[in-house]
Amino acid sequence: MGEELIEFFMELLRSIPFKELAVGVLGAIIGGRFTLKGARESHALEFAREKVRSLEGAKRALVLIQIEITAAWDVFYSEYGEEILAEEEGTPNLSILPLSDSNFVVYESLLGELSSIDSDVSGMIVRIYSRARGLVENIKLNNQEAEQCCKIASEYVQSIDKDLLSIAGSRADESVRAEHYSMKALEHAEIINMGNTSQAVRDLAREVNVSLDLLKPAIEKAISHLDEQILLVRDRSKIG
């Protein structure tokens, strides 16, 4: 059966004129080569598009991270940092800075994009956010200790309120209360070594500030480099 089938195809080939057979074979070869070339070009084009998407994602991540960390520092400094950094070293700071539980949403959502960023810059970003987290935790601890000192001071002033009124008189009672309140709050702050906590906030704040000054130009340089890479890929691949 097999020999008969082979003989059938041989007779079929003999019956086709050579010219037509050659044209058919040549057409198949050329068609195959063009199909392969088209597939390769399509694959290269898609690869280029994916590269551009990755580079644009890295650029977007850098821009958003810079906005977040800069805005966070500006809020901290205007509402709390300027005051505590101006105080004498080791001085307890009794101010309370409200903090949310989600302080670095942008950074946490874009961690995957850091793999497409220059390793030196991504390392700087990771370090500054690590220090910023430490700063937040120390501020929370300072808040807790400040609240404790304020509570002790408030209870103390209430306990001696009648004596204060009899000593100062009705016109001066508020200023006398404030004086005793401040005295008792600072006294308790010394007892619990709150000065160490406030100093940790100062030290980390200074470190974050220095790191931020170094990070800003590094991010701008990295963004410029990404723009160059995006343009190069687009030019080479002729994609829009």
Side-chain angles (χ1 to χ4, degrees), residues 21-231:
L21 178 62
V23 170
V25 172
L26 184 60
I29 292 173
I30 293 173
R33 290 187 64 183
F34 274 102
T35 300
L36 180 60
K37 181 182 178 183
R40 286 175 176 171
E41 290 177 350
S42 178
H43 177 73
L45 196 60
E46 184 55 34
F47 179 81
R49 289 196 181 103
E50 183 59 35
K51 181 65 175 177
V52 168
R53 282 194 290 267
S54 176
L55 292 171
E56 289 177 339
K59 176 184 174 180
R60 182 170 56 254
L62 283 175
V63 171
L64 293 175
I65 284 172
Q66 183 176 30
I67 291 172
E68 179 180 64
I69 194 66
T70 301
W73 173 259
D74 289 343
V75 170
F76 163 77
Y77 188 77
S78 63
E79 295 186 6
Y80 189 80
E82 185 175 13
E83 173 189 317
I84 195 170
L85 289 172
E87 293 174 338
E88 186 178 347
E89 300 291 287
T91 301
N93 184 280
L94 295 170
S95 298
I96 297 173
L97 177 65
L99 294 170
S100 67
D101 293 329
S102 301
N103 298 289
F104 308 116
V105 177
V106 171
Y107 170 73
E108 290 167 358
S109 65
L110 294 174
L111 278 174
E113 303 290 351
L114 295 183
S115 60
S116 301
I117 299 171
D118 177 81
S119 58
D120 290 337
V121 178
S122 60
M124 292 175 68
I125 291 172
V126 171
R127 283 192 294 274
I128 194 171
Y129 270 94
S130 175
R131 296 297 184 272
R133 281 197 178 103
L135 177 59
V136 168
E137 292 306 312
N138 276 277
I139 291 172
K140 287 180 178 178
L141 179 57
N142 199 81
N143 284 347
Q144 292 172 6
E145 293 182 355
E147 288 171 354
Q148 182 181 342
C149 291
C150 292
K151 181 174 181 294
I152 294 293
S154 181
E155 291 174 350
Y156 172 74
V157 170
Q158 289 178 10
S159 68
I160 62 169
D161 191 57
K162 291 182 179 180
D163 294 333
L164 292 176
L165 285 174
S166 64
I167 294 171
S170 58
R171 292 182 180 179
D173 59 334
E174 287 303 324
S175 62
V176 174
R177 283 194 183 99
E179 182 181 344
H180 280 77
Y181 178 94
S182 177
M183 178 189 68
K184 192 63 178 180
L186 290 172
E187 179 184 294
H188 188 73
E190 185 175 350
I191 292 173
I192 63 175
N193 293 318
M194 186 182 173
N196 292 338
T197 305
S198 297
Q199 189 58 41
V201 173
R202 291 186 192 95
D203 293 341
L204 278 168
R206 292 189 182 106
E207 188 175 348
V208 169
N209 190 31
V210 171
S211 297
L212 190 57
D213 286 341
L214 296 173
L215 181 63
K216 286 178 180 178
I219 285 182
E220 290 170 3
K221 184 177 179 181
I223 289 174
S224 178
H225 182 60
L226 286 169
D227 282 335
E228 292 174 0
Q229 288 182 286
I230 292 169
L231 184 61

